Amino acid sequence: MDLDDIAPPPKKKTHELGQDLSKLSVAELQALIDTLKGEVARVEKALSDKQSSLSAAEAAFKR
């Protein structure tokens, strides 16, 4: 059995940074904005979590 038969197909990218936006419709542009806002929020949450962990570790080792 070939592993390609088992593995799921790769996900299609919905957007690539620097992509030509002139070919997207108004609805597609709005959907892209919504997607990017969600991604920004997800990255900001990850950053906040890491900063909290770092602060806690620094506080623990300053004793």
Side-chain angles (χ1 to χ4, degrees):
M1 178 178 258
D2 190 3
L3 290 180
D4 290 336
D5 295 335
I6 299 171
K11 291 183 180 180
K12 288 185 179 180
K13 288 185 179 180
T14 57
H15 179 73
E16 186 172 319
L17 294 177
Q19 171 184 338
D20 180 13
L21 301 176
S22 66
K23 297 177 181 165
L24 299 177
S25 69
V26 171
E28 289 171 323
L29 288 169
Q30 187 59 55
L32 177 58
I33 288 170
D34 295 341
T35 300
L36 292 173
K37 284 180 179 179
E39 186 65 6
V40 167
R42 188 177 76 88
V43 171
E44 287 175 338
K45 170 84 169 81
L47 177 61
S48 176
D49 292 348
K50 287 192 181 252
Q51 286 174 332
S52 295
S53 295
L54 180 60
S55 295
E58 288 174 346
F61 287 104
K62 282 189 178 183
R63 294 184 185 185

